[in-house]
Amino acid sequence: MCVRTFIRSILLLGMFVSVTAALPGYPLDGYVHTGIRRLKAYDLIQQGKLAGHFRLQPGALLGSDRILLRLADTNPDFDISPASQPDPNLQSALDKLFQSRDQSYRAAVLDITDPAQPRYAQIRGDQGYIPGSVGKLLVMTGLFEQLRLRHPGEIESRERLLRETQIVADRFVIPNSHAVPVVGPDFTSIVHRSIQIGDRFSLWEWLDHMISPSSNAAASMVWKQALLMDAFEAGYPISPEREAAYLASTPGQQLSERAIEVIETPLRRAGLDPESFRVRTFFTATASRAIPGKSSTCTPNQILRWLIKLEQGRLVDRWSSLEMKKLIYFTRRRYRYASAPALNRAAVFFKSGSLYRCAPEEGYKCVQYQGNVENLMHSVAIVESPRENAPPLVYLVSIMSNVLKVNSAQEHQRLGAEIERLIQQRNS
């Protein structure tokens, strides 16, 4: 597909484009627990037992038992608000970091290396843009809320539903340009291709496809499953025939309101503001025609608050928060913010999105991530950077930018290194 056609299709959806060659995912030892086949296949690649052309950085090889909620026991009630006072030293350092950068940058940083005394700083933290692929974090939250409602005190039942429920791709996956890992029988091969109608994955794998290669097709399918759980409660999962009848017989406006409510209810329960971090449009055109959408937006401060609630175990509940943190753990070839060499040894929990638009301009050539009309880039990360003879550096980052005609992927990579150095200096 040519760049112009590709950009036009993305604009129609109002969503962000994500690179599929290098994105986050569940810890590689999680296959037995989750049944996500990609995890075992990627682990076999690391061992040299399955053909593959990438090796993970040391920070991507943590076991599941080392993924922890850093604020759950030490500071479960901490929060930021418009009245929050920034840490003067951290704020001064952040101001210097951004003083020569474009005014389109928005950022929020929270250092929780000492979880009892978080240190906060921000640059235009209450100004934002459309969330795009970052909104998939909210879709994930909505699904885990539905699991809680179905099985409030039964973690094994939730896990069984995620692991054993098989969902077949339907028209909601169209159009779809993101590749996902498809594992062959008996783990003899793995190919990366776009999801096709008729593909079958477990609900846990659909979640992984939505977060790991940031598949728009998977995001629409997961959001629909959350909506169906809400509608059919104990009767879920349902047959394709019942699903089709429900979608056909329910007015689009009603479907839209329920789909939005499914996502926003757990945010309100956690004390978050859906008006400042919301996604209200499905991620594929076919899904949006079936379930009409509305406008979406987010700010760095509200994204940071989502990360805080995650670390506190307050997004849905503690089990759900930990599972969602595992799902955003970066276990593929790194890119953008997370590809900074300074982070090679760090565990990075990451979500990103980008959108660029171009117009004819003398002497200018349209290049990916360097749009001259719009050049949005979001990076959302939890970084846990090991230190010798000391607890790890742990900090939360939310950065948004719209710097025209500049390679925003490289710029965010530089920021990854500079913020790591800044946090190291603040904790030296």
Side-chain angles (χ1 to χ4, degrees):
M1 180 184 294
C2 71
V3 171
R4 182 176 299 170
T5 303
F6 179 69
I7 295 172
R8 185 182 300 116
S9 65
I10 294 299
L11 290 175
L12 289 173
L13 298 178
M15 292 297 162
F16 281 60
V17 182
S18 297
V19 171
T20 60
L23 291 145
Y26 208 93
L28 295 187
D29 67 354
Y31 167 70
V32 174
H33 173 57
T34 65
I36 299 173
R37 289 165 288 180
R38 174 187 71 85
L39 303 178
K40 182 174 180 178
Y42 279 16
D43 193 30
L44 291 171
I45 291 173
Q46 301 309 300
Q47 298 176 44
K49 297 179 181 179
L50 183 63
H53 302 291
F54 69 91
R55 289 293 180 268
L56 298 179
Q57 298 294 346
L61 299 175
L62 295 186
S64 296
D65 61 344
R66 296 180 64 189
I67 310 300
L68 308 174
L69 299 178
R70 299 289 178 172
L71 296 173
D73 297 318
T74 303
N75 209 338
D77 297 319
F78 173 81
D79 202 354
I80 61 169
S81 73
S84 295
Q85 293 298 311
D87 176 85
N89 292 327
L90 183 60
Q91 186 65 53
S92 176
L94 197 67
D95 287 341
K96 290 178 182 178
L97 193 154
F98 282 97
Q99 67 182 358
S100 61
R101 285 186 158 91
D102 193 87
Q103 291 293 300
S104 70
Y105 273 102
R106 291 91 167 87
V109 178
L110 185 72
D111 181 359
I112 58 171
T113 301
D114 178 357
Q117 296 183 349
R119 295 187 290 184
Y120 163 69
Q122 58 90 24
I123 303 291
R124 294 176 284 276
D126 289 320
Q127 302 175 27
Y129 301 103
I130 61 173
S133 287
V134 174
K136 292 165 186 172
L137 298 175
L138 303 188
V139 175
M140 177 172 63
T141 309
L143 184 80
F144 275 92
E145 171 73 355
Q146 289 302 312
L147 291 171
R148 182 193 69 83
L149 292 172
R150 298 293 80 74
H151 303 287
E154 304 172 10
I155 301 304
E156 290 184 2
S157 296
R158 300 187 207 178
E159 293 176 342
R160 189 180 309 112
L161 188 64
L162 287 169
R163 190 169 46 246
E164 297 180 3
T165 303
Q166 296 290 311
I167 306 297
V168 178
D170 57 22
R171 62 193 175 98
F172 269 50
V173 305
I174 299 172
N176 179 35
S177 60
H178 295 71
V180 304
V182 180
V183 180
D186 300 320
F187 298 92
T188 54
S189 66
I190 183 170
V191 298
H192 293 78
R193 62 167 176 79
S194 61
I195 294 174
Q196 302 168 4
I197 291 179
D199 282 343
R200 180 186 296 268
F201 302 108
S202 72
L203 193 51
W204 225 325
E205 287 178 313
W206 279 110
L207 274 166
D208 185 58
H209 290 328
M210 176 178 72
I211 298 297
S212 177
S214 200
S215 166
N216 288 341
S220 287
M221 290 293 292
V222 170
W223 196 349
K224 182 175 67 171
Q225 296 311 306
L227 175 63
L228 294 174
M229 286 184 188
D230 174 70
F232 289 90
E233 299 182 342
Y236 180 89
I238 62 173
S239 68
E241 293 75 18
R242 289 190 71 193
E243 175 190 316
Y246 168 70
L247 294 177
S249 63
T250 308
Q253 178 77 12
Q254 183 177 333
L255 289 173
S256 176
E257 291 174 357
R258 288 311 307 163
I260 292 171
E261 191 63 23
V262 160
I263 286 180
E264 296 187 354
T265 293
L267 302 184
R268 284 189 286 269
R269 286 186 60 247
L272 296 173
D273 177 16
E275 291 303 317
S276 299
F277 186 12
R278 66 177 187 263
V279 56
R280 293 176 177 174
T281 301
F282 272 73
F283 291 80
T284 54
T286 305
S288 294
R289 284 195 292 270
I291 303 177
K294 299 180 181 180
S295 64
S296 303
T297 191
C298 66
T299 67
N301 276 338
Q302 287 303 312
I303 295 172
L304 188 70
R305 293 188 69 217
W306 187 93
L307 294 174
I308 291 169
K309 303 301 182 184
L310 183 78
E311 289 287 7
Q312 292 171 329
R314 294 179 59 189
L315 279 180
V316 182
D317 56 22
R318 187 162 181 155
W319 173 84
S320 301
S321 294
L322 184 59
E323 286 302 315
M324 286 190 280
K325 187 173 181 180
K326 290 177 182 178
L327 280 162
I328 63 173
Y329 179 47
F330 205 115
T331 57
R332 297 186 72 172
R333 189 182 294 114
R334 294 186 171 186
Y335 79 121
R336 299 180 189 172
Y337 186 98
S339 66
L343 301 180
N344 284 352
R345 295 176 60 242
V348 181
F349 305 80
F350 187 68
K351 193 76 193 74
S352 182
S354 68
L355 170 66
Y356 70 99
R357 290 191 295 137
C358 303
E361 180 180 337
E362 185 176 354
Y364 167 79
K365 180 180 179 181
C366 185
V367 180
Q368 190 178 40
Y369 309 138
Q370 298 184 49
N372 66 341
V373 175
E374 192 168 36
N375 197 39
L376 292 170
M377 177 71 73
H378 297 349
S379 292
V380 179
I382 301 169
V383 179
E384 300 179 359
S385 191
R387 295 184 291 175
E388 292 186 8
N389 303 317
L393 299 173
V394 183
Y395 54 98
L396 319 180
V397 178
S398 174
I399 297 175
M400 309 173 77
S401 65
N402 186 29
V403 188
L404 303 181
K405 296 190 285 189
V406 169
N407 189 317
S408 55
Q410 291 181 1
E411 280 298 299
H412 279 234
Q413 180 194 59
R414 294 187 187 97
L415 281 168
E418 293 178 14
I419 291 176
E420 169 72 10
R421 184 162 56 248
L422 183 157
I423 297 295
Q424 287 179 353
Q425 293 170 350
R426 295 301 94 196
N427 288 277
S428 63

